[in-house]
């Protein structure tokens, strides 16, 4: 069952009912100011950091769900409704919500009043703009009251939800007839405030939530709104909010536009005040002015759309498969950009108060946006490398506001350093800019400790080399990519963090997955080192790659089961092999080791793919492991703490399915690659939205597996590495467009139904127009600007900006 439809021309998903199985959200903002917005107008805003600069309040785990947000009420002779349906839940005569690229719009109506609302964060300002248009579609004149309201958060979202003894005494605002300024704590140590502005002078206002709602009411029935009045309350403690009231009369056919701006302003410490206790509003007023007219708002919205058009023009495919094109050209790239901006910080499932930026997650996210915003990718790589230690290990996370490593989590995830090599390679291959390797980059952010980024890559690899276990395979440490495979944790106390507790690290537990990573990224590094003339380093790493590859072929493959083993635990027992009672096979090494080409000459990759399809495949993709653990295994950790078929214990973890898709491409199995790609790609499963439940336009972290009672139900949408890796599988695997050091490789792996494919790709400032004629067979003829060439890699020629490439497969 569907709850809406895609509108590809406008790059929107159109939600046709407020009754979606879960709130279906979108993200507004492209730089520092961000908002989350659901299809019922819920959500919240923050500046840069969802924990430390929360502007509006949101209540997670609330009942009823999702009632914090932007509140636009209409009281039409006692019928009270919201443009976005919640919080009043009044049935609407019509409802539509369109989630577009960084904007969301609503269109609803009730009793002859038509309401439109468009919400976006402009490119250049720290604010969310909401444009409201109200039209009287009835035959008679209409008089009603309109309310626009937001609830402020006291900036630090954790303190806001904890420290009531202090923060219920702080609230301060200033008010004029257009704007409420929220200045709590501004008089002492904060140099910033928020405001809520209305383009038309209001007829009444409220700023005290207790007064506005009335003591016993919720947001579904504020006393001011139900009475059709305002109390003109001035908050001085408890809960600050902003509400503007308008008494409106519209003639038949008449429209009234109102613009609201939720803004954030920082002032220099010596320019904070206009007069004693009166905040300096210069910047705020300049911002308000820019959005005070319809023309200003329309122009800003157009700029935003132009920005997205320009970005997405860099990679466009036309395959004849509408759903594939929709994912490729719109939604998958969009989700990659959102994960770039949010990391794992703020979603409807990540509260924005916990994880900062993850080392591993951020390195992988980068693979999905480096072609769109390479400069930002460069910056990100340096930020990430700066939390590394001199022995190559690294903090697992950092806070975006100060960029310092997070000491609470610390280090010890042995996959982390290798992701840095992968991310840097992707950047250099995309841009050709090897100068990034020379950038002096500190360790643990300590001034004076800087070494060229190149050295960071080298020590990342050395870290694996220096930390091998009894089988010559890399030690796993606290965990590798699979955060829940905690082989040194041995946790028996409730509340202990599986990620940080190590009760039994004997330096024995090994990871075959990290072996796959080392072989893949180590080989990449060898190519890079040779390319820039560091022959000695190349030789050294090449030798080590060989050693780990041999160790994997010898001890990392289950020759009875016919697939890669997952790990060795602290007793050197196999994990994820046919010898195990449960958890006999894991997906991660099948994908990654095949991708790395380990044992290719012996056909190990082919076998691993066969086994994955045999044991792991369900209706939604390949499950993470099979069969799931039914009891707690102290020697395995968190993975066995989840119900069977859920999360890492045997769900389809969308993040690692693309590794297998890509592995299928490496092994030249286009049909299987496409089969797997389609199973979890949002556009292909839209009509199962009632089962899948999360948004049908983005990936979620997981989809419950066969052993779960909620088989097919997805969880944790938006902020997941699934976005990036699915895009990499789509663009580099199936479409076969792979940036290489020397040029752009074109090596498609297309299913037979894609007979004619065109692609537009911007690469190092040049434009590639690629046409592929796909007939059965594996031989490709490549013609570049009229000349046939033997290599699949198209090298750039000085002075030539346009490349017309025709590939004929036969
Ligand atoms: C989550 C984490 C990611 C980890 C994955 C598997 O998605 O963000 O770092 O690799 O789970 O455990
Ligand atoms: C839990 C989750 C995992 C996540 C980790 C870190 O272990 O299962 O997906 O990566 O927490 O937050």
């Amino acid at each position: 069952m569907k709850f809406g439809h895609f509108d590809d021309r406008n790059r929107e998903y159109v939600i046709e009912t407020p009754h979606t199985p879960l709130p279906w959200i979108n993200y507004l903002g492209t730089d520092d100011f961000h908002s989350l917005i659901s299809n019922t107008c819920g959500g919240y805003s923050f500046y840069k950091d969802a924990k430390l600069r929360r502007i509006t309040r949101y209540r997670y785990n609330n009942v009823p769900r999702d009632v914090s947000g932007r509140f636009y009420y209409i009281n039409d002779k006692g019928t009270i409704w919201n443009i976005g349906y919640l919080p009043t839940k009044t049935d609407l005569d019509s409802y539509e919500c369109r989630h577009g690229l960084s904007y969301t719009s609503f269109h609803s109506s009730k009793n002859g009043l038509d309401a439109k609302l468009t919400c976006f964060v402009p490119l250049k300002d720290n604010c969310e703009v909401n444009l409201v248009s109200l039209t009287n579609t009835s035959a008679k004149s209409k008089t009603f009251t309109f309310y626009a309201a937001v609830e402020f958060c006291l900036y630090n979202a954790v303190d806001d939800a904890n420290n009531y003894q202090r923060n219920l005494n702080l609230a301060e605002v200033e008010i004029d007839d257009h704007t409420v300024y929220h200045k709590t704590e501004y008089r002492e140590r904060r140099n910033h405030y928020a405001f809520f502005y209305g383009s038309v002078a209001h007829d009444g206002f409220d700023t005290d939530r207790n007064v506005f709602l009335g003591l016993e009411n919720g947001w579904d029935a504020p006393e001011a709104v139900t009475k059709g009045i305002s109390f003109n309350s001035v908050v001085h403690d408890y809960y600050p909010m902003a509400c503007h009231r308008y008494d409106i009369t519209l003639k038949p056919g008449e429209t009234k536009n109102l613009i609201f701006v939720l803004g954030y302003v920082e002032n220099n410490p010596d320019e904070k005040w206009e007069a004693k206790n009166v905040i300096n509003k210069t910047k705020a007023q300049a911002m308000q002015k820019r959005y005070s007219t319809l023309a200003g708002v329309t122009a800003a919205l157009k700029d935003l759309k132009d920005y997205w058009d320009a970005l997405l023009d860099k990679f466009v495919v036309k395959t004849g498969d509408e759903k594939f094109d929709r994912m490729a050209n719109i939604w998958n790239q969009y989700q990659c950009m959102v994960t770039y901006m949010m990391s794992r910080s703020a979603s409807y499932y990540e509260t924005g108060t916990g994880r900062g930026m993850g080392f591993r997650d951020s390195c992988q996210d980068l693979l999905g946006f480096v072609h769109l915003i390479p400069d930002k990718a460069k910056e990100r790589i340096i930020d990430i490398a700066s939390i590394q230690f001199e022995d190559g290990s690294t903090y697992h996370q950092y806070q975006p506001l100060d960029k310092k490593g997070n000491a609470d989590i610390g280090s010890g995830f042995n996959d982390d350093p290798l992701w840095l090599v992968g991310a840097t390679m992707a950047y250099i291959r995309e841009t050709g800019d090897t100068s990034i390797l020379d950038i002096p980059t500190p360790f643990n952010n300590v001034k004076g400790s800087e070494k060229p980024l190149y050295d960071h890559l080298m020590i990342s690899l050395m870290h694996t080399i220096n930390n091998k276990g009894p089988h010559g395979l890399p030690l796993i440490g606290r965990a590798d990519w699979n955060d829940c495979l905690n082989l040194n944790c041995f946790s028996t106390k409730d509340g202990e963090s599986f990620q940080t507790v190590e009760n039994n690290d004997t330096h024995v537990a090994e990871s075959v997955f990290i072996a796959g990573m080392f072989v893949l990224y180590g080989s990449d590094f060898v190519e890079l080192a040779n390319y820039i003339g560091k022959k000695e380093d190349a030789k050294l790493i090449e030798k080590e790659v060989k050693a780990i590859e041999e160790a994997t072929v010898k001890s990392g493959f289950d020759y009875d089961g016919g697939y890669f083993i997952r790990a060795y635990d602290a007793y050197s027992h196999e994990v994820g092999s046919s010898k195990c009672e449960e958890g006999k096979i894991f997906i991660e090494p099948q994908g990654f080791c095949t991708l790395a080409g380990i044992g290719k000459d012996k056909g190990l990759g082919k076998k691993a793919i066969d086994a994955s399809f045999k044991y792991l495949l369900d209706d939604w993709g390949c499950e993470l492991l099979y069969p799931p653990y039914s009891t707690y295994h102290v020697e395995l950790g968190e993975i066995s703490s989840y119900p069977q078929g859920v999360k890492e214990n045997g769900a389809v973890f969308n993040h690692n399915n693309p590794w297998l898709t890509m592995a299928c491409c490496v092994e030249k199995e286009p049909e299987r690659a496409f089969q797997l790609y389609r199973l979890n790609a949002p556009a292909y499963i839209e009509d199962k939205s009632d089962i899948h439940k999360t948004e049908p336009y983005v990936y979620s972290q997981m989809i419950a597996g066969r052993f779960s009672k909620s088989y097919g139900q997805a969880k944790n949408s938006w902020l997941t590495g699934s976005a990036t890796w699915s895009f990499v599988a789509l663009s580099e695997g199936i479409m076969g467009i792979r940036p290489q050091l020397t040029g752009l490789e074109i090596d498609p792996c297309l299913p037979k139904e894609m007979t004619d494919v065109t692609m537009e790709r911007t690469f190092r400032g040049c434009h590639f127009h690629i046409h592929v004629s796909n007939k059965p067979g594996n031989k490709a003829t490549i013609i570049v600007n009229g000349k046939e060439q033997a290599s699949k890699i198209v090298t750039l020629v000085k002075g030539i900006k346009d490349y017309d490439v025709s590939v004929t497969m036969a």
Side-chain angles (χ1 to χ4, degrees):
M1 186 180 153
K2 297 204 286 183
F3 299 84
H5 62 272
F6 286 94
D7 175 349
D8 293 340
R9 222 164 57 97
N10 290 306
R11 294 176 169 150
E12 292 172 337
Y13 191 78
V14 187
I15 303 170
E16 294 157 6
T17 165
H19 310 294
T20 45
L22 288 165
W24 283 1
I25 71 159
N26 193 14
Y27 285 84
L28 315 178
T30 50
D31 203 357
D32 291 337
F33 189 102
H34 297 280
S35 298
L36 281 67
I37 183 164
S38 72
N39 62 312
T40 47
C41 227
Y44 56 94
S45 304
F46 60 92
Y47 172 77
K48 278 194 181 170
D49 189 315
K51 177 177 174 186
L52 300 175
R53 286 284 194 287
R54 189 75 68 101
I55 293 167
T56 51
R57 190 174 273 163
Y58 193 83
R59 291 173 189 80
Y60 287 90
N61 271 347
N62 202 14
V63 278
R65 72 184 194 195
D66 198 31
V67 287
S68 329
R70 310 134 191 85
F71 306 100
Y72 292 106
Y73 298 93
I74 291 156
N75 183 341
D76 181 2
K77 303 229 159 39
T79 302
I80 300 171
W81 56 285
N82 292 99
I83 301 181
Y85 177 70
L86 288 181
T88 54
K89 294 201 289 186
T90 304
D91 278 338
L92 301 169
D93 294 343
S94 67
Y95 161 95
E96 184 181 87
C97 165
R98 288 178 172 259
H99 284 318
L101 305 183
S102 293
Y103 68 88
T104 288
S105 62
F106 296 86
H107 188 179
S108 51
S109 63
K110 180 89 189 161
N111 297 346
L113 185 62
D114 182 283
K116 287 186 181 151
L117 166 65
T118 302
C119 307
F120 67 101
V121 172
L123 288 177
K124 294 186 210 85
D125 272 317
N126 293 320
C127 62
E128 180 185 317
V129 176
N130 290 181
L131 168 64
V132 178
S133 299
L134 302 164
T135 304
N136 178 2
T137 55
S138 78
K140 287 202 219 123
S141 151
K142 235 183 196 312
T143 298
F144 57 93
T145 43
F146 182 82
Y147 294 83
V150 294
E151 182 183 6
F152 291 115
C153 180
L154 303 184
Y155 301 115
N156 180 330
V158 174
D159 196 66
D160 182 72
N162 286 316
N163 191 6
Y164 302 120
Q165 61 79 23
R166 172 173 162 80
N167 62 34
L168 295 187
N169 302 290
L170 296 174
E172 274 193 290
V173 291
E174 286 179 33
I175 306 157
D176 63 37
D177 58 2
H178 284 271
T179 311
V180 174
Y181 294 89
H182 175 222
K183 60 172 186 178
T184 302
E185 290 194 330
Y186 184 79
R187 77 160 124 153
E188 0 123 21
R189 292 165 303 174
R190 292 188 184 275
N191 300 327
H192 57 86
Y193 60 81
F195 65 80
F196 189 56
Y197 157 88
S199 58
V200 173
H202 59 222
D203 296 309
F205 66 89
D206 275 294
T207 63
D208 186 329
R209 197 190 81 197
N210 283 344
V211 176
F212 175 73
L213 295 182
L215 287 180
E216 275 95 40
N217 302 333
W219 287 96
D220 58 329
E223 192 171 332
V225 178
T226 49
K227 289 190 167 148
I229 59 166
S230 295
F231 296 101
N232 295 345
S233 55
V234 180
V235 73
H236 55 84
D237 55 11
Y238 286 101
Y239 309 108
M241 62 165 292
C243 176
H244 301 290
R245 189 194 92 241
Y246 305 86
D247 302 324
I248 300 175
T249 300
L250 294 178
K251 291 198 264 321
E254 190 184 349
T255 297
K256 187 172 183 73
N257 293 317
L258 295 158
I259 300 157
F260 299 95
V261 181
L262 174 70
Y264 171 90
V265 165
E266 282 178 0
N267 278 334
N268 288 332
D270 51 357
E271 291 171 352
K272 280 176 75 166
W273 305 104
E274 196 171 290
K276 185 172 177 202
N277 288 342
V278 180
I279 59 177
N280 178 348
K281 304 183 183 68
T282 315
K283 286 187 189 169
Q285 282 162 352
M287 200 190 301
Q288 292 159 11
K289 199 157 166 240
R290 288 194 277 281
Y291 308 102
S292 58
T293 62
L294 192 56
V297 171
T298 313
L301 191 57
K302 183 175 179 308
D303 287 349
L304 184 65
K305 290 189 180 175
D306 290 349
Y307 164 83
W308 278 107
D309 284 349
L311 267 187
L312 297 187
D313 276 355
K314 295 182 178 191
F315 179 89
V316 181
V317 304
K318 236 169 135 180
T319 63
D321 180 331
E322 185 186 48
K323 292 175 181 163
F324 189 88
D325 294 359
R326 173 180 294 156
M327 289 315 305
N329 302 339
I330 308 170
W331 292 100
N332 199 171
Q333 295 199 69
Y334 181 52
Q335 190 179 0
C336 287
M337 282 297 289
V338 171
T339 52
Y340 153 68
M341 292 183 280
M342 296 290 127
S343 186
R344 303 296 173 271
S345 145
S347 75
Y348 266 34
Y349 310 96
E350 303 277 6
T351 59
T353 58
R355 288 196 265 180
M357 309 283 293
F359 191 101
R360 161 208 301 147
D361 291 336
S362 299
C363 282
Q364 291 172 85
D365 288 348
L366 192 135
L367 310 178
F369 65 81
V370 62
H371 67 295
L372 297 173
I373 43 169
D375 290 346
K376 303 268 188 193
K378 183 175 190 172
E379 235 174 76
R380 181 64 62 84
I381 289 171
I382 302 302
D383 286 350
I384 296 171
S386 304
I387 61 164
Q388 195 174 21
F389 298 106
E390 304 201 26
D391 68 351
S393 68
T394 167
Y395 277 118
H396 194 49
Q397 292 170 2
Y398 66 100
Q399 276 310 123
L401 211 56
D402 64 12
K403 299 189 174 171
K404 294 253 162 63
N406 178 350
D408 293 341
I409 309 279
S411 66
F413 298 81
N414 284 352
D415 61 322
D416 271 337
L418 295 175
W419 293 115
L420 180 66
V421 181
T424 310
M425 278 308 291
Y427 170 79
I428 296 175
R429 284 176 167 158
E430 180 65 40
T431 59
D433 170 22
T434 49
S435 75
I436 189 176
L437 296 169
D438 304 328
I439 296 180
T441 310
F443 293 96
N444 188 16
N445 278 298
V446 175
K447 261 211 162 81
S449 68
E450 292 83 358
K451 291 251 171 72
L453 179 69
Y454 177 85
D455 295 19
H456 283 256
L457 303 191
M458 193 65 193
I459 62 158
S460 293
L461 293 158
M462 291 310 297
H463 185 263
T464 306
I465 296 165
N466 293 333
N467 289 280
K468 293 202 274 190
H471 298 88
L473 294 165
L475 291 172
I476 196 167
R478 286 178 167 173
D480 59 20
W481 173 87
N482 191 329
D483 264 336
C484 299
L485 199 56
N486 318 115
L487 304 183
N488 296 307
C489 175
F490 291 83
S491 177
T492 51
K493 288 202 198 89
D494 62 357
E496 260 178 3
S497 159
F498 287 106
Q499 261 83 55
T500 54
V501 169
E502 294 158 69
N503 292 321
N504 187 27
D505 190 359
T506 50
H507 292 266
V508 171
E510 299 164 289
S511 161
V512 176
F513 173 75
I514 301 183
M517 279 187 82
F518 184 84
V519 173
L520 182 71
Y521 293 134
S523 307
D524 284 354
F525 180 85
V526 170
E527 189 193 337
L528 175 71
N530 277 323
Y531 185 71
I532 61 172
K534 303 254 187 196
K535 305 277 179 212
E536 286 306 305
D537 292 347
K539 242 191 243 151
L540 181 121
I541 300 301
E542 196 170 11
K543 199 178 102 225
E544 296 293 341
V545 164
K546 234 174 153 194
I548 290 193
E549 188 173 358
E550 276 165 12
T552 309
V553 171
K554 182 157 175 258
S555 312
F557 199 83
D558 173 353
Y559 289 88
D560 294 331
Y563 50 83
F564 289 98
I565 295 170
R566 179 59 177 88
Y568 284 92
D569 70 14
Y571 308 107
S572 264
H573 295 153
E574 291 174 14
V575 179
S577 93
S578 54
K579 292 202 186 89
C580 307
E581 256 172 50
E582 297 177 329
K584 284 172 178 294
I585 171 171
F586 280 62
I587 193 173
E588 304 99 310
Q590 317 315 330
F592 236 81
C593 293
T594 306
L595 210 52
I598 295 179
K600 195 170 165 56
D601 52 335
K602 296 184 177 58
L604 299 192
K606 275 239 181 276
K607 286 195 182 125
I609 292 172
D610 285 346
S612 304
F613 273 68
K614 181 168 168 200
Y615 297 114
L616 300 174
L617 194 71
D618 73 18
D619 291 343
W620 306 83
C622 277
E623 293 166 357
L624 193 145
L625 58 81
Y626 176 87
Y629 297 104
S630 58
T631 56
Y632 180 52
H633 289 248
V634 71
E635 78 285 7
L636 302 180
E638 186 172 7
I639 195 157
S640 56
S641 75
Y642 285 117
Q644 289 170 282
V646 171
K647 292 275 276 181
E648 281 86 344
N649 192 16
V652 171
F653 221 82
N654 289 319
H655 189 134
N656 51 33
N657 271 250
W659 298 341
L660 208 54
T661 304
M662 291 162 73
C664 292
C665 293
V666 166
E667 292 295 338
K668 298 268 175 278
E669 295 210 31
E671 303 309 327
R672 272 187 165 173
F674 192 48
Q675 178 194 353
L676 191 59
Y677 171 79
R678 271 182 316 199
L679 284 179
N680 67 348
Y684 290 90
I685 53 179
E686 185 201 7
D687 54 0
K688 295 195 273 186
S689 290
D690 50 330
I691 302 167
H692 181 263
K693 291 196 176 8
T694 53
E695 295 90 332
Y697 36 92
V698 290
Y699 287 91
S700 295
Q701 184 193 61
M702 64 139 230
I703 306 175
R706 288 164 291 181
F707 281 72
S708 161
K709 293 201 173 59
S710 20
Y711 177 40
Q713 181 178 326
K715 294 245 178 81
N716 195 358
S717 58
W718 280 98
L719 305 183
T720 153
S722 318
T724 269
W725 279 109
S726 299
F727 183 71
V728 176
L730 174 159
S731 60
E732 299 193 11
I734 298 172
M735 292 292 107
I737 305 290
R738 290 191 282 272
Q740 298 290 3
L741 293 175
T742 53
L744 191 64
E745 182 175 7
I746 301 170
D747 182 19
C749 179
L750 300 172
K752 54 180 178 311
E753 57 260 56
M754 290 186 189
T755 48
D756 259 295
V757 171
T758 56
M759 308 182 231
E760 312 295 331
R761 173 70 152 86
T762 303
F763 178 65
R764 301 187 190 172
C766 297
H767 177 249
F768 276 68
H769 170 80
I770 303 160
H771 175 254
V772 186
S773 167
N774 179 34
K775 313 235 168 60
N778 271 332
K779 206 184 150 333
T781 313
I782 301 187
I783 299 175
V784 182
N785 288 343
K787 274 199 214 114
E788 187 172 337
Q789 68 169 50
S791 167
K792 289 177 182 160
I793 299 178
V794 181
T795 49
L796 298 182
V797 181
K798 232 186 163 178
I800 299 185
K801 286 265 170 213
D802 289 300
Y803 294 80
D804 195 66
V805 184
S806 143
V807 182
T808 309
M809 319 272 282

